[in-house]
Amino acid sequence: MKNPVTILRLVFGAVAVVLCSVAWLLHHNTTSFIASASRTQGEVMRLLYVESSKRNESGTWKPLVRFKAPSGEIIEFAPSSSSSPPSYEVGETVNVFFDPENPQDARLDGFFSLWGGATITGGLGLVFLLVTAGLLFVPASAPAKRRRPR
């Protein structure tokens, strides 16, 4: 059996690699989306309440946004992220990125809407990477203390 410190190094290192890879993929996906997306303005039509999965916590709010695609089609969408208190107000004008080929694929032009996933997973990956680096300074096997005979 391997030493516990070695096992911790391997586990934390593997988690760090996975999280950093996911962060890179999310960043790449968002960058590619923005590069090919069209931009327009939309309006917050109403706020949607998202119930908390925990009993004693209040829920959060996300906006239902409406915008007009170049084809004239009216598109409504709600981002996946929500907040408490609400980040938007009913009637507020917001910037929207959307895929010209598929206007239903739309995202709000806001830091968290665009980069939240990459930021969170990248931050967690960095924490695991720093812990892994710190574990490199812990000796893998400390010599056992010997008792002196009395």
Side-chain angles (χ1 to χ4, degrees):
M1 183 169 129
K2 290 189 175 191
N3 183 293
V5 174
T6 303
I7 292 170
L8 278 176
R9 285 180 191 156
L10 292 172
V11 169
F12 274 74
V15 171
V17 168
V18 168
L19 288 171
C20 289
S21 298
V22 169
W24 181 86
L25 287 171
L26 290 170
H27 177 271
H28 179 71
N29 181 332
T30 300
T31 304
S32 299
F33 177 79
I34 290 172
S36 65
S38 293
R39 191 173 179 174
T40 190
Q41 289 191 329
E43 181 182 353
V44 176
M45 302 310 295
R46 62 187 169 119
L47 297 175
L48 305 173
Y49 184 73
V50 180
E51 273 193 53
S52 173
S53 58
K54 298 178 183 171
R55 280 187 186 192
N56 297 332
E57 282 191 25
S58 61
T60 56
W61 300 89
K62 63 182 174 181
L64 178 66
V65 177
R66 178 184 290 169
F67 69 95
K68 189 174 187 177
S71 66
E73 180 183 8
I74 301 296
I75 307 292
E76 286 189 353
F77 77 98
S80 58
S81 60
S82 59
S83 64
S84 181
S87 298
Y88 301 93
E89 294 179 8
V90 174
E92 183 176 349
T93 300
V94 293
N95 292 320
V96 176
F97 284 109
F98 68 94
D99 181 348
E101 307 272 323
N102 178 17
Q104 295 290 337
D105 184 8
R107 300 181 197 178
L108 288 176
D109 182 10
F111 179 80
F112 198 78
S113 293
L114 294 172
W115 307 106
T119 302
I120 290 170
T121 54
L124 288 171
L126 181 61
V127 168
F128 275 86
L129 191 63
L130 291 173
V131 170
T132 302
L135 287 171
L136 292 175
F137 295 104
V138 175
S141 57
K145 291 184 180 181
R146 293 185 179 176
R147 288 186 167 187
R148 290 191 291 176
R150 292 185 180 209

